[in-house]
Amino acid sequence: MSNILHVSASCIESIHDEPATLSKPNKRWHLAFATIYCSRALYSLLKKKNMKTSKLPLSTPSFVVLNVEPHLAFSNIEHTSLTEVVKKKNLDQLREFGGVAGVADALKTDAKNGIHGDVEDIARRQEVFGSNTYPRPPAKSFFYFVLEAFKDLTILILLACATLSLGFGIKEHGLKEGWYDGGSIFVAVFLVISVSAVSNFRQNRQFEKLSKVSNNIKVEVVRDGHRQQISIFEIVVGDVVCLKIGDQVAADGLFLDGHSLQVDESSMTGESDHVEVNCHHNPFLFSGTKVADGYGQMLVTSVGMDTTWGEMMSTISRDLNEETPLQARLNKLTSSIGKVGLAVAFLVLVVLVVRYFTGNTEDENGNQEFNGGKTKANDIVNAMVRIIAAAVTIVVVAIPEGLPLAVTLTLAYSMKRMMADQAMVRKLSACETMGSATTICTDKTGTLTLNQMKVTKYWLGKEPVEDSSSIDTHVLKLIQQGVALNTTGSIYRATSGSEIEFSGSPTEKAILSWAALELDMDMEAIKQNYSILHVEAFNSEKKRSGVLMRKTADNKIQVHWKGAAEMILAMCSSYYDASGSIKSLDDGERMTFEQIIQGMAASSLRCIAFAHKQIPGEEQEISEGRQKLKEDSLTLIGLVGIKDPCRPRVRKAVEDCQYAGVNVRMITGDNVFTARAIATECGILRPDQDMNGEAVVEGEVFRNYTPEERMEKVDKIRVMARSSPFDKLLMVQCLKQKGHVVAVTGDGTNDAPALKEADIGLSMGIQGTEVAKESSDIIILDDNFSSVATVLKWGRCVYNNIQKFIQFQLTVNVAALVINFVAAVSAGEVPLTAVQLLWVNLIMDTLGALALATEQPTEELMKKPPVGRTEPLISNIMWRNLLAQALYQIAILLILQFKGESIFGVSEKVNDTLIFNTFVLCQVFNEFNARKLEKKNVFKGLHKNKLFLGIIGITIILQVVMVEFLKKFANTERLNWGQWGVCIGNAAASWPIGWVVKSIPVSEKPFLSYLMW
């Protein structure tokens, strides 16, 4: 019996002792397993006991035994505790877990080869630990934008007028006839709101999509011994992530391996000082922080919402409603025009009210509308509602609310098209600012060149080496050590027969490829024979990297350096000659090496030097203890020349920019000879341009100029070589002070200050670090300078499209205001009703914006100088065009208003329809004129813009429907063919008028120079 009790107790214990980390399905399996196990144990004990007391056969059990084994792969570690250990930087608790190695073991991760990474492994880890995503605040619904549209005061007033008109109309004429006036205003308002809401909703969705794309960062991980790039969202707990300068840490984790790793935690703590991360004192890494220096590998311990960054980011939504400078200027313009419209509407209101109460107005039957006390209260209220609706509608037409909509449409359209042209816009304002750019400061590597590097030359001593077999064995081993141990790249080969894969920066890959394929370097074997003591990682300021290593066999210590050839040469006092002998490096020899370096650079080769030094025994302990590597008395091992060919079509892109009045400057870390050769090849520098030495400078020289000298010489500089990020920033600041609008390309972490300082920061999508991308306004997805030129073209297109729409809209505004005001004052009535004006508003605001805001960039845009950022939005050319068209429309419509009935022998209702139809058709024809601000041929390229033609077609069809079929809704009368011909003829006259007007020259001084739009 005691045995049975003991088994019962152990069973109950096993049921309760289930790991806390198990998911619900696994807990159920665990419970089932324990229950079945207990049942079998109790049953077997009872069976033994019964067999002793009775020999009768027992009945067959009425249950089926299942052998259930629950998955307890990660039962050795409590995930919640591990998450807290990292968040709180608790070293003591980490030691209880067995340190980083213990955590890796518990997470089933090989510290060197990473996780297996098969589909089942990833799915299991995501099920247990979660995925590396976090919930975003819900996107704004369509109804949100409908409500936003309803908040417009003029819309609310119109709705109130429509309600009153509907009520009084039904009361006076009955439901069948009385709903037309009020109902038609309701329908028109509903159309305006719907179009506005749909447009804003679609743009919001567009920006949300772009936000998702920009958040999808590529991260390098090791899985199954293979370095590979995956999306940040695919990272799982247990992954080994590779980190280098400029990377964003993708999840919370622990430091596994690396050197000189420093992290910028300012995004989390607000502290600007960099934090050193190492195995002993601080192995903790946090999602959202940036790698400031060094390189390393981390073990992921928490992802998604379990990270500190995830908790923080889930509460933050990206502000998609940023107001660009152009939108701000347009809002000011809208406000100014709106004030004029309000004044005119108020005058019309006063005039109509006065005329009504003084008995100067007549109804449809020719009777006086107001007869003092005899007039019914209902009639007075009806008349007042009609007058207020007319005045409010004038305000609706006068306020060009289509302008901000046009900007939004243009920016959204251009953002979408720019994405297809390999440019992702992060900040809307950059689209329009790019149109004003006067200078572009570009990197060389990867932007002007292909970034497909290959070692094409190797010099040992003063002799070029054609065949690797001729290299001395000792020197060959030194080269292999210098390449294999002083690198952030890696070599991977799945099987002995498969192709070798190289990873790292393009320069690293070129050197590794050369050493592995031509020098037969075995990277793994070399790494096993040496242990690395200290590393100085490469960055764009030092332009070199070094490593201190100890040989396992004899404990000898040596230092290896690799970097820019002239910098490494300056650190050397001796060199290896072709036979492997060490020779002293005197001034004459140094001059010879400098000429070799210059010769390679003049052939557009990037020159990299290798050097080393054996540390004497008495200095070994000192070297181990200190953090700085030996930088003097080195022995030069050799020089390699790396070819990075220029991109095809880059010369044409540079010439296009120069033709458009935009200066292209190259800022590079390469030496002055390589920089000059590449700049000449790309067309940035003419062969005869650097005769006086002012077009090409070195960063250090530029830095050492006095502020006055810099300001004097900066305009002449075309190439800056051997520049540091500080030199790039200095140049940007100087150019801005000189009044330039500066666009800058950058890919490194240290480029961030220059990218932020520039008017437009352009980061590189392939080689760019996350820090550079976050500091930029536009990401060039293919790292190609041609895409920079395309962005410039799109920037100008945005500005040009908005100017076209302003001209088109203001023509309508001026014409509608003048006609209604003159007619109200002279005749006491408004020829265009509320519904008709709302229809015109819909045509010009929404359909007009769509038609003109989606014009694609043309080559003509690149033949003009840049648009100054202080130049008025409405240029003299625009004033000339819009005033000519507006005056023509006012003249023809006023003639129709006062003489139309007698000229055409028609009734007042038909005459009003003629006025309405002519006015709308004038806008349709004027839309063609607005396509070209200066060119006389407004039809050029028309066949390419299908959307424009479609909108014109839709507008004409809807206008025919309004006039011919919606008589009561639009308050119109049917027109015969002759009357339609008159309307079309009057409207078509705007084409020859536009052609003639464009021949009139305009002055340079702004037409409204005293007004600040």
Side-chain angles (χ1 to χ4, degrees):
M1 187 67 186
S2 64
N3 280 348
I4 294 171
L5 287 171
H6 176 73
V7 169
S8 299
S10 64
C11 287
I12 291 162
E13 200 176 307
S14 72
I15 290 169
H16 287 293
D17 188 27
E18 59 183 11
T21 55
L22 287 179
S23 62
K24 283 185 181 177
N26 281 346
K27 282 181 180 176
R28 289 196 204 100
W29 281 114
H30 183 86
L31 197 64
F33 170 81
T35 308
I36 293 166
Y37 174 81
C38 292
S39 304
R40 289 183 67 192
L42 286 166
Y43 175 72
S44 62
L45 283 168
L46 285 165
K47 188 175 177 181
K48 283 177 188 175
K49 193 178 178 191
N50 289 343
M51 281 177 75
K52 287 177 186 176
T53 55
S54 171
K55 290 184 180 178
L56 289 171
L58 289 167
S59 62
T60 311
S62 59
F63 55 84
V64 179
V65 178
L66 293 172
N67 184 18
V68 180
E69 285 189 21
H71 174 66
L72 301 171
F74 306 108
S75 59
N76 299 344
I77 196 157
E78 174 67 54
H79 184 233
T80 315
S81 306
L82 179 59
T83 302
E84 288 304 309
V85 166
V86 177
K87 279 184 185 174
K88 292 176 181 175
K89 294 190 173 184
N90 193 330
L91 269 172
D92 295 329
Q93 206 174 340
L94 180 61
R95 289 190 189 102
E96 287 175 25
F97 281 120
V100 179
V103 173
D105 192 46
L107 293 173
K108 308 295 181 204
T109 300
D110 184 310
K112 187 183 174 188
N113 296 320
I115 61 173
H116 288 299
D118 54 49
V119 177
E120 285 178 21
D121 186 24
I122 300 296
R124 190 163 60 238
R125 289 173 188 274
Q126 285 181 338
E127 184 189 342
V128 176
F129 302 114
S131 61
N132 198 29
T133 54
Y134 40 80
R136 288 277 186 184
K140 291 170 184 171
S141 68
F142 175 71
F143 294 105
Y144 169 85
F145 294 101
V146 171
L147 287 171
E148 283 295 304
F150 270 112
K151 288 178 184 176
D152 188 342
L153 182 63
T154 50
I155 291 289
L156 292 174
I157 295 170
L158 275 172
L159 285 172
C161 290
T163 307
L164 289 170
S165 179
L166 191 67
F168 288 117
I170 291 170
K171 188 179 177 185
E172 190 176 344
H173 303 291
L175 185 62
K176 193 174 181 181
E177 297 286 328
W179 70 273
Y180 287 127
D181 281 351
S184 55
I185 295 175
F186 265 123
V187 171
V189 169
F190 172 74
L191 269 173
V192 170
I193 286 172
S194 299
V195 171
S196 172
V198 167
S199 173
N200 288 332
F201 177 70
R202 286 192 63 202
Q203 302 332 319
N204 187 266
R205 282 284 176 274
Q206 174 89 20
F207 298 147
E208 287 281 354
K209 277 183 190 173
L210 283 171
S211 177
K212 283 177 186 173
V213 171
S214 63
N215 289 335
N216 189 11
I217 298 164
K218 293 293 177 189
V219 180
E220 197 171 65
V221 297
V222 180
R223 286 183 178 174
D224 205 20
H226 181 207
R227 269 201 197 191
Q228 52 191 279
Q229 283 207 334
I230 62 168
S231 164
I232 191 170
F233 304 127
E234 293 171 10
I235 284 177
V236 293
V237 169
D239 256 326
V240 173
V241 178
C242 303
L243 299 172
K244 61 183 184 300
I245 293 177
D247 281 355
Q248 180 177 309
V249 180
D252 286 4
L254 296 166
F255 178 82
L256 275 174
D257 181 32
H259 295 280
S260 313
L261 189 65
Q262 291 195 335
V263 176
D264 176 6
E265 293 186 356
S266 58
S267 58
M268 307 291 291
T269 62
E271 296 290 329
S272 56
D273 291 340
H274 297 157
V275 178
E276 188 169 344
V277 180
N278 51 44
C279 291
H280 310 295
H281 308 296
N282 178 31
F284 305 105
L285 287 149
F286 298 100
S287 174
T289 57
K290 310 285 190 309
V291 179
D293 201 3
Y295 60 88
Q297 291 185 332
M298 70 172 268
L299 173 70
V300 175
T301 56
S302 328
V303 291
M305 285 301 293
D306 291 332
T307 65
T308 317
W309 186 252
E311 286 173 16
M312 195 161 68
M313 288 303 286
S314 65
T315 60
I316 299 169
S317 62
R318 185 180 170 197
D319 180 20
L320 302 172
N321 299 319
E322 58 167 316
E323 187 174 69
T324 72
L326 190 55
Q327 280 174 324
R329 286 172 78 186
L330 283 174
N331 285 340
K332 205 172 177 184
L333 177 65
T334 303
S335 172
S336 303
I337 297 169
K339 285 170 188 171
V340 174
L342 274 170
V344 172
F346 181 73
L347 280 170
V348 168
L349 181 71
V350 170
V351 168
L352 291 179
V353 169
V354 169
R355 286 181 68 97
Y356 177 79
F357 284 111
T358 53
N360 287 321
T361 55
E362 296 174 347
D363 61 16
E364 290 173 3
N365 301 319
N367 301 321
Q368 191 175 315
E369 282 191 300
F370 184 76
N371 287 315
K374 296 177 185 176
T375 310
K376 295 176 184 176
N378 276 358
D379 292 340
I380 295 171
V381 173
N382 259 340
M384 287 303 106
V385 166
R386 197 172 63 250
I387 290 167
I388 291 167
V392 170
T393 311
I394 289 170
V395 175
V396 171
V397 174
I399 296 174
E401 63 266 41
L403 288 180
L405 175 66
V407 179
T408 309
L409 282 170
T410 306
L411 290 174
Y413 175 74
S414 57
M415 277 174 78
K416 193 173 180 181
R417 294 305 299 261
M418 282 165 80
M419 195 74 172
D421 286 342
Q422 302 299 316
M424 188 177 83
V425 179
R426 292 185 75 251
K427 290 180 185 166
L428 276 176
S429 53
C431 278
E432 60 199 43
T433 314
M434 198 67 190
S436 304
T438 57
T439 190
I440 298 171
C441 298
T442 176
D443 280 344
K444 175 187 80 73
T445 308
T447 310
L448 296 170
T449 60
L450 282 167
N451 216 5
Q452 293 172 0
M453 300 197 183
K454 189 176 190 300
V455 174
T456 56
K457 280 196 177 180
Y458 171 57
W459 287 68
L460 178 55
K462 293 180 282 183
E463 301 292 326
V465 177
E466 301 298 332
D467 185 9
S468 59
S469 60
S470 63
I471 302 171
D472 178 73
T473 312
H474 175 60
V475 176
L476 186 63
K477 282 183 180 175
L478 286 174
I479 296 167
Q480 290 174 344
Q481 288 166 21
V483 173
L485 300 168
N486 186 12
T487 183
T488 53
S490 68
I491 295 174
Y492 174 77
R493 179 178 260 170
T495 57
S496 57
S498 63
E499 200 173 309
I500 301 174
E501 287 181 31
F502 302 97
S503 64
S505 70
T507 308
E508 293 284 11
K509 285 197 282 190
I511 293 169
L512 285 172
S513 168
W514 167 70
L517 300 176
E518 292 190 29
L519 307 183
D520 296 325
M521 177 187 75
D522 187 342
M523 196 167 176
E524 284 305 310
I526 294 169
K527 281 188 171 181
Q528 284 168 11
N529 292 330
Y530 289 87
S531 57
I532 294 171
L533 305 175
H534 182 64
V535 169
E536 279 202 23
F538 179 90
N539 67 38
S540 53
E541 283 181 33
K542 295 183 292 190
K543 296 188 176 21
R544 61 181 184 269
S545 63
V547 61
L548 188 71
M549 62 182 83
R550 182 197 280 120
K551 194 172 183 180
T552 315
D554 55 12
N555 281 341
K556 283 185 178 176
I557 294 175
Q558 56 181 321
V559 64
H560 271 271
W561 282 97
K562 174 183 78 182
E566 65 268 35
M567 293 193 171
I568 298 294
L569 183 66
M571 294 158 62
C572 293
S573 59
S574 57
Y575 69 95
Y576 283 99
D577 67 5
S579 63
S581 307
I582 296 178
K583 297 283 181 71
S584 177
L585 194 64
D586 58 27
D587 290 344
E589 302 287 342
R590 196 178 294 277
M591 186 75 74
T592 306
F593 276 106
E594 283 173 359
Q595 285 170 355
I596 292 168
I597 293 165
Q598 287 173 20
M600 280 202 269
S603 305
S604 304
L605 297 182
R606 171 176 280 188
C607 203
I608 306 288
F610 293 89
H612 94 114
K613 182 175 184 177
Q614 189 77 42
I615 307 293
E618 63 273 11
E619 291 183 30
Q620 287 195 5
E621 286 184 27
I622 302 167
S623 289
E624 280 188 71
R626 73 180 178 193
Q627 292 295 299
K628 196 157 175 66
L629 303 186
K630 276 268 188 187
E631 294 186 2
D632 57 355
S633 305
L634 304 180
T635 304
L636 185 70
I637 302 170
L639 303 167
V640 295
I642 300 175
K643 181 72 176 172
D644 185 13
C646 278
R647 286 183 178 274
R649 297 188 301 279
V650 75
R651 190 180 183 94
K652 185 184 182 303
V654 169
E655 285 170 357
D656 287 347
C657 290
Q658 290 169 341
Y659 192 64
V662 179
N663 286 317
V664 181
R665 292 172 166 84
M666 186 174 89
I667 302 176
T668 177
D670 278 340
N671 76 35
V672 71
F673 300 99
T674 309
R676 188 184 280 116
I678 293 286
T680 307
E681 199 176 330
C682 294
I684 293 170
L685 205 62
R686 292 192 305 276
D688 61 332
Q689 200 168 357
D690 193 33
M691 300 305 287
N692 56 6
E694 289 186 337
V696 181
V697 296
E698 287 193 333
E700 191 179 352
V701 175
F702 183 73
R703 201 183 316 144
N704 293 332
Y705 283 151
T706 63
E708 292 76 24
E709 283 178 316
R710 272 200 293 272
M711 293 299 284
E712 183 192 331
K713 297 185 178 186
V714 72
D715 275 332
K716 297 171 187 171
I717 294 169
R718 288 291 170 270
V719 178
M720 191 194 283
R722 281 288 174 245
S723 66
S724 70
F726 175 74
D727 299 328
K728 187 184 270 192
L729 176 63
L730 205 57
M731 176 167 265
V732 171
Q733 288 170 339
C734 287
L735 288 167
K736 283 182 76 176
Q737 283 169 29
K738 293 277 280 187
H740 288 283
V741 178
V742 187
V744 168
T745 70
D747 55 8
T749 305
N750 294 324
D751 289 330
L755 288 168
K756 281 185 175 173
E757 179 70 25
D759 295 287
I760 311 103
L762 304 155
S763 65
M764 299 298 128
I766 300 168
Q767 285 303 310
T769 62
E770 286 312 312
V771 177
K773 287 176 190 174
E774 279 195 13
S775 304
S776 66
D777 306 305
I778 297 173
I779 299 173
I780 304 298
L781 298 173
D782 60 355
D783 290 17
N784 192 342
F785 186 80
S786 296
S787 300
V788 177
T790 305
V791 170
L792 180 70
K793 199 186 287 182
W794 271 110
R796 292 186 173 193
C797 181
V798 167
Y799 198 87
N800 193 247
N801 284 352
I802 289 162
Q803 282 192 314
K804 290 174 189 175
F805 183 69
I806 290 171
Q807 179 186 298
F808 171 67
Q809 176 134 42
L810 290 188
T811 306
V812 187
N813 289 136
V814 171
L817 279 175
V818 172
I819 293 155
N820 277 319
F821 179 70
V822 171
V825 170
S826 57
E829 59 183 31
V830 181
L832 300 170
T833 65
V835 171
Q836 289 170 353
L837 282 175
L838 281 169
W839 168 234
V840 172
N841 199 48
L842 189 69
I843 291 173
M844 68 182 188
D845 271 7
T846 310
L847 297 177
L850 263 173
L852 294 169
T854 53
E855 286 272 353
Q856 292 197 31
T858 59
E859 291 303 319
E860 289 169 13
L861 292 170
M862 298 295 274
K863 292 175 184 174
K864 298 178 187 175
V867 180
R869 59 170 119 202
T870 54
E871 284 186 29
L873 267 176
I874 310 173
S875 66
N876 285 1
I877 289 165
M878 291 165 69
W879 278 118
R880 177 196 67 191
N881 296 344
L882 79 87
L883 287 174
Q885 293 294 339
L887 286 170
Y888 169 70
Q889 288 181 22
I890 290 163
I892 200 76
L893 294 175
L894 287 178
I895 289 168
L896 286 172
Q897 170 70 19
F898 295 109
K899 299 289 181 183
E901 289 175 43
S902 56
I903 291 171
F904 298 106
V906 292
S907 66
E908 186 185 350
K909 199 83 179 278
V910 172
N911 192 49
D912 283 347
T913 305
L914 282 172
I915 292 170
F916 168 58
N917 202 29
T918 304
F919 185 57
V920 170
L921 291 174
C922 276
Q923 311 323 319
V924 171
F925 280 87
N926 193 35
E927 222 162 322
F928 287 89
N929 287 327
R931 286 190 69 243
K932 306 284 179 186
L933 297 178
E934 296 175 63
K935 299 284 179 184
K936 290 181 179 180
N937 182 5
V938 295
F939 306 107
K940 189 179 178 183
L942 187 64
H943 62 284
K944 292 178 183 175
N945 194 343
K946 302 286 191 294
L947 186 62
F948 182 90
L949 292 171
I951 286 168
I952 294 291
I954 289 166
T955 307
I956 292 168
I957 290 165
L958 290 175
Q959 180 62 16
V960 171
V961 171
M962 284 279 282
V963 172
E964 298 294 323
F965 304 104
L966 298 175
K967 296 199 310 181
K968 290 191 174 175
F969 170 77
N971 200 21
T972 56
E973 284 290 324
R974 282 191 169 183
L975 302 178
N976 59 38
W977 287 105
Q979 289 160 348
W980 268 102
V982 168
C983 294
I984 292 167
N986 286 334
S990 65
W991 283 351
I993 288 168
W995 193 86
V996 171
V997 163
K998 283 174 184 173
S999 305
I1000 302 168
V1002 291
S1003 68
E1004 290 295 316
K1005 191 180 178 184
F1007 180 63
L1008 295 176
S1009 54
Y1010 54 88
L1011 274 178
M1012 293 292 289
W1013 290 122

